[in-house]
Amino acid sequence: MRSRPRLPAWTATLTWKSAVFITVMCCALAAILGTLVHVSVTRRTVDDARERALTRLTTATRAYEAGEPLPRFAGVDPAALPAALRALAVGGERGTVVADDDGRPTMWAAGPADGRALAVRVDYTTGAETIAGLDRSILGSSVLAIGLTLLVGAFAVTRVTRRLHLTAQVARRISAGDLDARVDDPRTRDPSRTEDEVATVSGALDTMASTLQRKLQSEQRFTADVAHELRTPLTGLSAAAELLPEGRPSELVRDRVRAMRALTEDLLEISRLDAGNETVDLAVHELGPLAERVVRASGTPTEVLIVRDATVETDRRRLERVLGNLVANAHRHGAPPVVLTVDGPVVSVRDHGAGYPAYLIQDGPQRFRTESGGKGHGLGLTIAAGQAEVIGAELVFTNAPRTTDDPDAPDGGGAVARLTLPEYVRLDDPLGDRDDPDDHPDDRLGDADGRDDPEG
């Protein structure tokens, strides 16, 4: 079965459709008006020529009946007389017809004359030229009118489509997280101006964005306030828990207090990320050793596979936070083995569990939503995604396909989180070869003091 050819994308635009509609309507209108004018003028011109020919025929008939010489424009059975008109006259009737006479348009009139045809002719050249000139004028004026109408229509439609494109652009910015984006159509700002449909849509979009922004800011302030207010009582509760005598009840209390403190710190970090006021401390690091350090600090049996090491310019603390959350999430919600792979500027963390749920792959991580038996709050991946955005990295969540190497893996083959970092490109510097590429000045100061970077 042959597929229908697809039209170019620009043929689906409103401007193109409007131009085609205007052109078709103008052509149809010009054709109708031109036809009406042509028929009217032609009929009037032919009637005038016919009246003159019949008048001459009457004059010639009187002269023929009186036996007087015929005028020069009359004759009996002239050779150029059309056959149809000759037959009509021989049959005893009078008639007229327009025909060529030696290449010149001529109006013929004929009547009976003793079994023969008495005919007269009138030069119809002026009338034919008048009709031809009228047709040319109609055609030229139609083309001019269509062109002008098309230009004016395209200008008017383009102004509308430009405003629609601006509205769509703002809507995309809002969906991408820029809640400060507004259309600000002049017709919505000025109450004295009448709003059209585009202004109504723009105003509704601005109102929706403002309402959404206020609600989100209110939720962010509430989350930040709650987290800040919980910090003080949790600090006291943690100190009090340490004073409890050793035993199973005290261990449970300390465990819950630690969980609440971790949750509070996660909420505070999410609040800072939502506020968008985070600043990054960029430095050049070797990605392989940094990933190995994260795995060692996590204390988990994670396999580190370095396919190709790379140098990246990033915020080490935030990158370690992202990788640490990904590794912890893989062990908490996935199944072993968990593999962290460094392939150039791309770091992937894969487990061999049931994989990510469909909503997470499609829409990204959502706080306080999890489908892994109710464990966790969905904040670890949310923080990882937020910190990745801050350092300019791309974090993608996918599920690995099932392979023959994993015969016991469930459908999906495990969850894969892939982090792509901006790679640092070194310039040819003769002094650069003498320095350790991961030896940042701040790191050297920290090593000289015998202390680790506090941000690490």
Side-chain angles (χ1 to χ4, degrees):
M1 181 177 179
R2 296 183 58 184
S3 59
R4 296 177 58 187
R6 297 188 61 181
L7 296 176
W10 53 268
T11 58
T13 60
L14 183 60
T15 303
W16 164 254
K17 293 180 179 178
S18 300
V20 172
F21 176 77
I22 292 173
T23 303
V24 171
M25 294 303 297
C26 287
C27 290
L29 183 61
I32 293 173
L33 292 179
T35 302
L36 292 176
V37 173
H38 172 83
V39 170
S40 177
V41 173
T42 301
R43 181 179 298 172
R44 184 179 303 172
T45 304
V46 171
D47 289 344
D48 291 344
R50 179 181 291 113
E51 185 177 352
R52 290 171 53 199
L54 291 176
T55 302
R56 288 188 175 185
L57 180 60
T58 301
T59 303
T61 301
R62 291 175 181 171
Y64 178 78
E65 292 176 349
E68 298 176 357
L70 296 177
R72 58 181 182 81
F73 51 78
V76 178
D77 288 335
L81 183 64
L85 184 59
R86 182 191 304 273
L88 183 67
V90 171
E93 297 184 9
R94 302 176 68 182
T96 59
V97 68
V98 177
D100 287 339
D101 183 15
D102 293 334
R104 296 173 62 88
T106 303
M107 172 65 75
W108 289 91
D114 299 331
R116 294 181 297 175
L118 176 63
V120 297
R121 57 179 177 270
V122 175
D123 188 7
Y124 192 67
T125 303
T126 303
E129 291 177 351
T130 301
I131 295 175
L134 177 64
D135 292 340
R136 288 192 297 269
S137 299
I138 291 175
L139 181 60
S141 59
S142 298
V143 172
L144 181 61
I146 292 173
L148 291 177
T149 305
L150 189 59
L151 289 177
V152 174
F155 174 75
V157 172
T158 302
R159 292 188 61 186
V160 175
T161 55
R162 189 183 300 117
R163 294 166 60 198
L164 289 175
H165 283 308
L166 176 61
T167 303
Q169 213 171 37
V170 172
R172 283 191 290 266
R173 289 172 55 189
I174 293 174
S175 64
D178 184 8
L179 298 182
D180 292 325
R182 298 292 184 274
V183 181
D184 284 334
D185 195 291
R187 291 170 177 77
T188 60
R189 294 197 306 263
D190 189 359
S192 62
R193 300 182 64 177
T194 304
E195 291 188 4
D196 56 6
E197 288 79 3
V198 179
T200 302
V201 173
S202 302
L205 179 64
D206 288 347
T207 303
M208 181 198 68
S210 300
T211 304
L212 180 62
Q213 186 178 37
R214 286 194 298 268
K215 288 184 177 180
L216 290 179
Q217 289 175 347
S218 176
E219 292 178 1
Q220 292 170 5
R221 285 194 298 268
F222 175 77
T223 303
D225 293 343
V226 168
H228 278 290
E229 292 297 328
L230 285 176
R231 268 185 128 177
T232 302
L234 282 175
T235 302
L237 186 60
S238 178
E242 296 297 330
L243 300 176
L244 294 175
E246 294 297 330
R248 181 60 179 169
S250 60
E251 290 180 2
L252 292 176
V253 172
R254 293 190 190 102
D255 180 69
R256 293 300 88 193
V257 170
R258 283 193 294 268
M260 290 186 65
R261 290 192 66 178
L263 176 59
T264 302
E265 294 300 327
D266 287 345
L267 289 175
L268 284 173
E269 186 169 0
I270 288 179
S271 299
R272 290 192 295 268
L273 291 173
D274 288 340
N277 298 326
E278 296 290 309
T279 57
V280 294
D281 182 16
L282 296 179
V284 179
H285 302 281
E286 291 294 331
L287 190 54
L290 190 148
E292 292 175 340
R293 185 163 58 245
V294 170
V295 171
R296 288 196 301 270
S298 68
T300 58
T302 303
E303 178 185 353
V304 179
L305 177 61
I306 300 179
V307 178
R308 179 175 65 90
D309 202 356
T311 304
V312 296
E313 185 176 13
T314 186
D315 188 321
R316 187 180 70 182
R317 178 183 67 85
R318 299 183 188 277
L319 178 57
E320 289 177 346
R321 175 69 159 155
V322 174
L323 296 180
N325 282 14
L326 295 179
V327 170
N329 183 82
H331 282 282
R332 181 177 302 171
H333 303 292
V338 176
V339 182
L340 186 149
T341 305
V342 177
D343 189 359
V346 180
V347 183
S348 59
V349 178
R350 178 188 177 183
D351 62 62
H352 290 73
Y356 290 120
Y359 79 86
L360 192 148
I361 296 176
Q362 181 177 357
D363 301 323
Q366 300 177 20
R367 60 194 72 175
F368 298 108
R369 179 175 180 180
T370 178
E371 296 183 2
S372 55
K375 298 180 180 179
H377 305 283
L379 300 182
L381 294 183
T382 302
I383 293 174
Q387 294 288 13
E389 184 178 357
V390 171
I391 63 177
E394 181 185 10
L395 181 58
V396 179
F397 300 96
T398 59
N399 286 332
R402 180 170 179 170
T403 63
T404 55
D405 297 332
D406 301 322
D408 299 328
D411 291 341
V416 179
R418 185 174 293 104
L419 180 70
T420 304
L421 295 157
E423 188 170 7
Y424 179 75
V425 180
R426 299 181 182 277
L427 299 177
D428 294 335
D429 187 355
L431 298 178
D433 296 334
R434 296 183 295 179
D435 296 333
D436 186 359
D438 199 28
D439 193 10
H440 190 263
D442 294 341
D443 297 338
R444 291 198 295 271
L445 289 176
D447 295 339
D449 294 339
R451 294 178 283 107
D452 293 334
D453 184 1
E455 297 295 327

PDB file of all heavy atoms in Angstrom, residues 10-29:
ATOM      1  N   TRP A  10       5.527  23.771   6.597  1.00  0.00           N
ATOM      2  CA  TRP A  10       5.053  25.159   6.551  1.00  0.00           C
ATOM      3  C   TRP A  10       3.653  25.264   5.950  1.00  0.00           C
ATOM      4  O   TRP A  10       2.976  26.284   6.127  1.00  0.00           O
ATOM      5  CB  TRP A  10       6.025  26.025   5.748  1.00  0.00           C
ATOM      6  CG  TRP A  10       6.359  25.520   4.374  1.00  0.00           C
ATOM      7  CD1 TRP A  10       7.392  24.730   4.021  1.00  0.00           C
ATOM      8  CD2 TRP A  10       5.632  25.776   3.161  1.00  0.00           C
ATOM      9  NE1 TRP A  10       7.370  24.461   2.682  1.00  0.00           N
ATOM     10  CE2 TRP A  10       6.302  25.104   2.118  1.00  0.00           C
ATOM     11  CE3 TRP A  10       4.486  26.513   2.860  1.00  0.00           C
ATOM     12  CZ2 TRP A  10       5.865  25.141   0.808  1.00  0.00           C
ATOM     13  CZ3 TRP A  10       4.051  26.554   1.536  1.00  0.00           C
ATOM     14  CH2 TRP A  10       4.738  25.868   0.540  1.00  0.00           C
ATOM     15  N   THR A  11       3.178  24.208   5.259  1.00  0.00           N
ATOM     16  CA  THR A  11       1.831  24.275   4.702  1.00  0.00           C
ATOM     17  C   THR A  11       0.760  24.142   5.785  1.00  0.00           C
ATOM     18  O   THR A  11      -0.417  24.390   5.514  1.00  0.00           O
ATOM     19  CB  THR A  11       1.637  23.157   3.660  1.00  0.00           C
ATOM     20  OG1 THR A  11       1.881  21.877   4.279  1.00  0.00           O
ATOM     21  CG2 THR A  11       2.597  23.335   2.496  1.00  0.00           C
ATOM     22  N   ALA A  12       1.160  23.736   6.986  1.00  0.00           N
ATOM     23  CA  ALA A  12       0.197  23.604   8.082  1.00  0.00           C
ATOM     24  C   ALA A  12       0.058  24.878   8.905  1.00  0.00           C
ATOM     25  O   ALA A  12      -0.758  24.925   9.817  1.00  0.00           O
ATOM     26  CB  ALA A  12       0.594  22.445   9.001  1.00  0.00           C
ATOM     27  N   THR A  13       0.839  25.906   8.583  1.00  0.00           N
ATOM     28  CA  THR A  13       0.798  27.133   9.370  1.00  0.00           C
ATOM     29  C   THR A  13      -0.464  27.932   9.052  1.00  0.00           C
ATOM     30  O   THR A  13      -1.042  27.826   7.955  1.00  0.00           O
ATOM     31  CB  THR A  13       2.036  27.992   9.090  1.00  0.00           C
ATOM     32  OG1 THR A  13       2.067  28.340   7.690  1.00  0.00           O
ATOM     33  CG2 THR A  13       3.303  27.223   9.442  1.00  0.00           C
ATOM     34  N   LEU A  14      -0.867  28.729  10.019  1.00  0.00           N
ATOM     35  CA  LEU A  14      -2.052  29.563   9.846  1.00  0.00           C
ATOM     36  C   LEU A  14      -1.829  30.609   8.756  1.00  0.00           C
ATOM     37  O   LEU A  14      -2.759  30.940   8.011  1.00  0.00           O
ATOM     38  CB  LEU A  14      -2.402  30.235  11.181  1.00  0.00           C
ATOM     39  CG  LEU A  14      -3.663  31.106  11.197  1.00  0.00           C
ATOM     40  CD1 LEU A  14      -4.884  30.282  10.840  1.00  0.00           C
ATOM     41  CD2 LEU A  14      -3.831  31.754  12.574  1.00  0.00           C
ATOM     42  N   THR A  15      -0.624  31.133   8.649  1.00  0.00           N
ATOM     43  CA  THR A  15      -0.332  32.131   7.612  1.00  0.00           C
ATOM     44  C   THR A  15      -0.523  31.549   6.219  1.00  0.00           C
ATOM     45  O   THR A  15      -1.122  32.176   5.339  1.00  0.00           O
ATOM     46  CB  THR A  15       1.108  32.644   7.775  1.00  0.00           C
ATOM     47  OG1 THR A  15       1.264  33.182   9.095  1.00  0.00           O
ATOM     48  CG2 THR A  15       1.420  33.721   6.744  1.00  0.00           C
ATOM     49  N   TRP A  16       0.000  30.347   6.012  1.00  0.00           N
ATOM     50  CA  TRP A  16      -0.141  29.696   4.703  1.00  0.00           C
ATOM     51  C   TRP A  16      -1.609  29.410   4.395  1.00  0.00           C
ATOM     52  O   TRP A  16      -2.087  29.671   3.296  1.00  0.00           O
ATOM     53  CB  TRP A  16       0.681  28.418   4.681  1.00  0.00           C
ATOM     54  CG  TRP A  16       0.333  27.484   3.562  1.00  0.00           C
ATOM     55  CD1 TRP A  16      -0.357  26.326   3.648  1.00  0.00           C
ATOM     56  CD2 TRP A  16       0.648  27.642   2.169  1.00  0.00           C
ATOM     57  NE1 TRP A  16      -0.488  25.732   2.409  1.00  0.00           N
ATOM     58  CE2 TRP A  16       0.115  26.527   1.478  1.00  0.00           C
ATOM     59  CE3 TRP A  16       1.324  28.601   1.438  1.00  0.00           C
ATOM     60  CZ2 TRP A  16       0.257  26.361   0.117  1.00  0.00           C
ATOM     61  CZ3 TRP A  16       1.456  28.433   0.066  1.00  0.00           C
ATOM     62  CH2 TRP A  16       0.936  27.340  -0.574  1.00  0.00           C
ATOM     63  N   LYS A  17      -2.334  28.864   5.366  1.00  0.00           N
ATOM     64  CA  LYS A  17      -3.737  28.553   5.135  1.00  0.00           C
ATOM     65  C   LYS A  17      -4.541  29.818   4.861  1.00  0.00           C
ATOM     66  O   LYS A  17      -5.421  29.826   3.986  1.00  0.00           O
ATOM     67  CB  LYS A  17      -4.309  27.808   6.344  1.00  0.00           C
ATOM     68  CG  LYS A  17      -3.725  26.422   6.544  1.00  0.00           C
ATOM     69  CD  LYS A  17      -4.321  25.738   7.757  1.00  0.00           C
ATOM     70  CE  LYS A  17      -3.750  24.336   7.934  1.00  0.00           C
ATOM     71  NZ  LYS A  17      -4.285  23.664   9.139  1.00  0.00           N
ATOM     72  N   SER A  18      -4.243  30.883   5.597  1.00  0.00           N
ATOM     73  CA  SER A  18      -4.959  32.142   5.368  1.00  0.00           C
ATOM     74  C   SER A  18      -4.639  32.702   3.984  1.00  0.00           C
ATOM     75  O   SER A  18      -5.530  33.211   3.296  1.00  0.00           O
ATOM     76  CB  SER A  18      -4.580  33.153   6.452  1.00  0.00           C
ATOM     77  OG  SER A  18      -4.909  32.674   7.738  1.00  0.00           O
ATOM     78  N   ALA A  19      -3.377  32.610   3.569  1.00  0.00           N
ATOM     79  CA  ALA A  19      -3.002  33.104   2.245  1.00  0.00           C
ATOM     80  C   ALA A  19      -3.708  32.328   1.146  1.00  0.00           C
ATOM     81  O   ALA A  19      -4.206  32.911   0.173  1.00  0.00           O
ATOM     82  CB  ALA A  19      -1.483  33.016   2.070  1.00  0.00           C
ATOM     83  N   VAL A  20      -3.768  31.010   1.291  1.00  0.00           N
ATOM     84  CA  VAL A  20      -4.463  30.197   0.294  1.00  0.00           C
ATOM     85  C   VAL A  20      -5.952  30.533   0.270  1.00  0.00           C
ATOM     86  O   VAL A  20      -6.561  30.687  -0.803  1.00  0.00           O
ATOM     87  CB  VAL A  20      -4.257  28.695   0.596  1.00  0.00           C
ATOM     88  CG1 VAL A  20      -5.137  27.841  -0.302  1.00  0.00           C
ATOM     89  CG2 VAL A  20      -2.796  28.324   0.404  1.00  0.00           C
ATOM     90  N   PHE A  21      -6.549  30.683   1.454  1.00  0.00           N
ATOM     91  CA  PHE A  21      -7.978  31.005   1.516  1.00  0.00           C
ATOM     92  C   PHE A  21      -8.257  32.369   0.879  1.00  0.00           C
ATOM     93  O   PHE A  21      -9.203  32.520   0.088  1.00  0.00           O
ATOM     94  CB  PHE A  21      -8.439  30.999   2.972  1.00  0.00           C
ATOM     95  CG  PHE A  21      -9.867  31.420   3.159  1.00  0.00           C
ATOM     96  CD1 PHE A  21     -10.907  30.552   2.869  1.00  0.00           C
ATOM     97  CD2 PHE A  21     -10.182  32.702   3.607  1.00  0.00           C
ATOM     98  CE1 PHE A  21     -12.226  30.942   3.029  1.00  0.00           C
ATOM     99  CE2 PHE A  21     -11.493  33.097   3.774  1.00  0.00           C
ATOM    100  CZ  PHE A  21     -12.521  32.219   3.481  1.00  0.00           C
ATOM    101  N   ILE A  22      -7.429  33.368   1.209  1.00  0.00           N
ATOM    102  CA  ILE A  22      -7.634  34.708   0.636  1.00  0.00           C
ATOM    103  C   ILE A  22      -7.461  34.672  -0.875  1.00  0.00           C
ATOM    104  O   ILE A  22      -8.243  35.281  -1.627  1.00  0.00           O
ATOM    105  CB  ILE A  22      -6.655  35.703   1.286  1.00  0.00           C
ATOM    106  CG1 ILE A  22      -7.025  35.920   2.759  1.00  0.00           C
ATOM    107  CG2 ILE A  22      -6.677  37.035   0.550  1.00  0.00           C
ATOM    108  CD1 ILE A  22      -6.018  36.756   3.505  1.00  0.00           C
ATOM    109  N   THR A  23      -6.444  33.956  -1.350  1.00  0.00           N
ATOM    110  CA  THR A  23      -6.202  33.888  -2.795  1.00  0.00           C
ATOM    111  C   THR A  23      -7.364  33.213  -3.518  1.00  0.00           C
ATOM    112  O   THR A  23      -7.834  33.703  -4.564  1.00  0.00           O
ATOM    113  CB  THR A  23      -4.897  33.118  -3.059  1.00  0.00           C
ATOM    114  OG1 THR A  23      -3.812  33.754  -2.370  1.00  0.00           O
ATOM    115  CG2 THR A  23      -4.596  33.070  -4.546  1.00  0.00           C
ATOM    116  N   VAL A  24      -7.831  32.097  -2.981  1.00  0.00           N
ATOM    117  CA  VAL A  24      -8.939  31.380  -3.623  1.00  0.00           C
ATOM    118  C   VAL A  24     -10.193  32.245  -3.646  1.00  0.00           C
ATOM    119  O   VAL A  24     -10.892  32.344  -4.673  1.00  0.00           O
ATOM    120  CB  VAL A  24      -9.198  30.050  -2.900  1.00  0.00           C
ATOM    121  CG1 VAL A  24     -10.479  29.401  -3.400  1.00  0.00           C
ATOM    122  CG2 VAL A  24      -8.024  29.101  -3.099  1.00  0.00           C
ATOM    123  N   MET A  25     -10.505  32.898  -2.530  1.00  0.00           N
ATOM    124  CA  MET A  25     -11.702  33.738  -2.477  1.00  0.00           C
ATOM    125  C   MET A  25     -11.585  34.931  -3.411  1.00  0.00           C
ATOM    126  O   MET A  25     -12.562  35.304  -4.083  1.00  0.00           O
ATOM    127  CB  MET A  25     -11.944  34.197  -1.045  1.00  0.00           C
ATOM    128  CG  MET A  25     -12.310  33.073  -0.075  1.00  0.00           C
ATOM    129  SD  MET A  25     -13.762  32.137  -0.600  1.00  0.00           S
ATOM    130  CE  MET A  25     -15.021  33.410  -0.568  1.00  0.00           C
ATOM    131  N   CYS A  26     -10.407  35.548  -3.465  1.00  0.00           N
ATOM    132  CA  CYS A  26     -10.229  36.686  -4.373  1.00  0.00           C
ATOM    133  C   CYS A  26     -10.346  36.251  -5.832  1.00  0.00           C
ATOM    134  O   CYS A  26     -10.964  36.950  -6.646  1.00  0.00           O
ATOM    135  CB  CYS A  26      -8.868  37.341  -4.119  1.00  0.00           C
ATOM    136  SG  CYS A  26      -8.770  38.286  -2.596  1.00  0.00           S
ATOM    137  N   CYS A  27      -9.760  35.093  -6.155  1.00  0.00           N
ATOM    138  CA  CYS A  27      -9.867  34.604  -7.532  1.00  0.00           C
ATOM    139  C   CYS A  27     -11.321  34.291  -7.887  1.00  0.00           C
ATOM    140  O   CYS A  27     -11.785  34.618  -8.994  1.00  0.00           O
ATOM    141  CB  CYS A  27      -9.003  33.351  -7.709  1.00  0.00           C
ATOM    142  SG  CYS A  27      -7.214  33.661  -7.667  1.00  0.00           S
ATOM    143  N   ALA A  28     -12.032  33.662  -6.971  1.00  0.00           N
ATOM    144  CA  ALA A  28     -13.438  33.351  -7.244  1.00  0.00           C
ATOM    145  C   ALA A  28     -14.256  34.622  -7.409  1.00  0.00           C
ATOM    146  O   ALA A  28     -15.084  34.746  -8.327  1.00  0.00           O
ATOM    147  CB  ALA A  28     -14.002  32.495  -6.106  1.00  0.00           C
ATOM    148  N   LEU A  29     -14.014  35.606  -6.515  1.00  0.00           N
ATOM    149  CA  LEU A  29     -14.759  36.861  -6.612  1.00  0.00           C
ATOM    150  C   LEU A  29     -14.417  37.600  -7.895  1.00  0.00           C
ATOM    151  O   LEU A  29     -15.314  38.142  -8.570  1.00  0.00           O
ATOM    152  CB  LEU A  29     -14.447  37.733  -5.391  1.00  0.00           C
ATOM    153  CG  LEU A  29     -15.185  39.058  -5.294  1.00  0.00           C
ATOM    154  CD1 LEU A  29     -16.691  38.827  -5.210  1.00  0.00           C
ATOM    155  CD2 LEU A  29     -14.704  39.849  -4.076  1.00  0.00           C
TER     156      LEU A  29
END
